[in-house]
Amino acid sequence: MLFRKLFRLLVLGGVMVGSATGCGSAAQGQAADDKKPDSRDGGSPDDGGSAKAQDSDAGTAADAGGGVVGW
Amino acid sequence: MTDELRRLAGAAWAFRARVEREASSRFVRLAAAIPAFDPASPVTDLLRRAADDEDRHATLCAELATAYGCQTGGTAVDVPIAPRSFAARDAVLYEIVAACCITETESVATLATLLTGTAEPRVRMVVHEIARDEVVHGRMGWAHLAREAAVRDVAFLAAWVPSMLEGGLDGAIFAAGERDAAPDDLLRHGVLPRSRKREIFVGTLEEVVFPGLEKLGVAAAPARAWLAERLARRSSPGAGCFGN
């Protein structure tokens, strides 16, 4: 019950907020055209290296990307 | 209240104070980056306001930590978490999904759970105030992902969600054989017992985060596999604690 409510509140609520203003504007669309998925240099964890998380002790972002610690 | 309970509660609130300070710095940085590719986005203003919220939350958490006898302090470290090879726009998307769609969404579930229990009045007041804001913080992540999904392919994120989950994981919740003493007492002071925290973490992923990602064009299969592996590792002999 809690989770269903959270889905509506956060996900569906967020989608509504996101679509409220200027979504898909010309400028945004142009920027999107400049960055097609196949030209992305980020690749994926499979081709970029080990999918290990950010090394929080080192304090730097690892090539594999990291996450955000919360409550 | 026992010394051990006081120590656990103080450490939890001090940790949260640090998390909130770091979130503030991250939101300021992300708010500055979005106008370059989406000048009309409402998320920019939401991020700025969220940064102020997080500063206020940090103060509230630090005050509680101090009340439990735990010192707080230190400088918040704002570390970009997207893979270095990502272009700026992809890096913003990665970080907002990790920080908001995953972590803030998990935080709302945790806070909502804490609010259903009987907490000390001061704890309840702080949790209530933070919960109100965190709903907006979680929502702004989904708003940004929705805007990006509306104008470009965001499927590439699917392969990266396990890294986001791994990097944000509180390893203690998957430690085998854990047992919290006096779980009801912990709850009264705003600390979820590990078993309850794991339940909330898994439920939020399976019923909120993964369906949300799929709704917006990010396949959740790699993330589901990551979660299944974590749960299997916990239940298998020899599973141990892994930290982050």
Side-chain angles (χ1 to χ4, degrees), chain A residues 23-52:
Chain A
C23 186
S25 66
Q28 196 184 1
Q30 180 59 49
D33 290 341
D34 293 344
K35 190 70 186 157
K36 296 291 187 192
D38 57 359
S39 68
R40 182 169 290 107
D41 54 6
S44 71
D46 292 336
D47 58 17
S50 63
K52 69 184 179 66

Side-chain angles (χ1 to χ4, degrees), chain A residues 2-59:
Chain A
L2 166 70
F3 300 124
R4 213 174 305 164
K5 189 175 173 186
L6 288 182
F7 183 84
R8 287 198 304 270
L9 190 66
L10 301 179
V11 179
L12 301 184
V15 170
M16 282 183 63
V17 170
S19 62
T21 313
C23 186
S25 66
Q28 196 184 1
Q30 180 59 49
D33 290 341
D34 293 344
K35 190 70 186 157
K36 296 291 187 192
D38 57 359
S39 68
R40 182 169 290 107
D41 54 6
S44 71
D46 292 336
D47 58 17
S50 63
K52 69 184 179 66
Q54 173 189 340
D55 180 353
S56 57
D57 291 332

Side-chain angles (χ1 to χ4, degrees), chain B residues 5-73:
Chain B
L5 184 58
R6 182 183 300 278
R7 186 189 66 76
L8 287 171
W13 286 105
F15 174 77
R16 289 166 180 170
R18 181 170 67 83
V19 163
E20 300 285 344
R21 284 198 306 271
E22 290 176 357
S24 174
S25 301
R26 172 174 293 108
F27 289 161
V28 167
R29 176 167 49 78
L30 293 171
I34 289 177
F37 56 85
D38 188 1
S41 176
V43 177
T44 302
D45 278 345
L46 291 173
L47 281 163
R48 289 195 190 110
R49 268 181 267 165
D52 291 340
D53 293 340
E54 302 292 20
D55 285 335
R56 184 164 35 81
H57 298 171
T59 301
L60 292 169
C61 292
E63 287 171 355
L64 270 179
T66 302
Y68 286 111
C70 185
Q71 294 303 311
T72 61

Side-chain angles (χ1 to χ4, degrees), chain B residues 53 93 114 136 174 206:
Chain B
D53 293 340
L93 180 59
L114 288 171
V136 179
F174 282 115
E206 290 180 334

Side-chain angles (χ1 to χ4, degrees), chain A residues 1-4 6-7 9-15 17-25 27-33 35 37 40-48 51-54 56-57 59-71, chain B residues 13 15-16 19-20 26 37-38 40 42 46 79-87 89-90 94 99 103 105 107-109 111-112 130 135 139 142-143 147-148 150-153 156 159-160 163-164 166-168 197 203-204 207-208 211-212 215 244:
Chain A
M1 188 61 170
L2 166 70
F3 300 124
R4 213 174 305 164
L6 288 182
F7 183 84
L9 190 66
L10 301 179
V11 179
L12 301 184
V15 170
V17 170
S19 62
T21 313
C23 186
S25 66
Q28 196 184 1
Q30 180 59 49
D33 290 341
K35 190 70 186 157
R40 182 169 290 107
D41 54 6
S44 71
D46 292 336
D47 58 17
K52 69 184 179 66
Q54 173 189 340
S56 57
D57 291 332
T60 58
D63 285 342
V68 176
V69 178
W71 277 50
Chain B
W13 286 105
F15 174 77
R16 289 166 180 170
V19 163
E20 300 285 344
R26 172 174 293 108
F37 56 85
D38 188 1
L46 291 173
V79 181
I81 56 165
R84 291 192 195 98
S85 53
F86 269 31
R89 185 171 184 165
D90 290 343
Y94 179 106
T103 300
T105 296
S107 293
V108 174
L111 288 157
I130 294 177
V135 168
R139 200 181 273 160
W142 295 106
R147 289 181 70 81
E148 290 290 81
V151 296
R152 67 187 187 119
D153 187 352
F156 73 96
W160 294 98
S163 296
M164 299 176 193
E166 187 72 37
K197 199 170 178 184
T204 305
E207 298 188 45
V208 185
K215 177 178 175 58
N244 53 8

Side-chain angles (χ1 to χ4, degrees), chain B residues 191-222:
Chain B
V191 182
L192 279 180
R194 279 173 287 186
S195 59
R196 188 76 179 113
K197 199 170 178 184
R198 181 175 59 252
E199 199 179 302
I200 296 297
F201 178 77
V202 172
T204 305
L205 287 182
E206 290 180 334
E207 298 188 45
V208 185
V209 175
F210 295 166
L213 292 173
E214 285 167 333
K215 177 178 175 58
L216 295 169
V218 181

Side-chain angles (χ1 to χ4, degrees), chain B residues 3 7 31 52 86 128 131 140 180 202 234-235:
Chain B
D3 288 346
R7 186 189 66 76
D52 291 340
F86 269 31
H128 189 269
M140 70 189 178
D180 285 307
V202 172
R234 178 176 182 276
S235 60

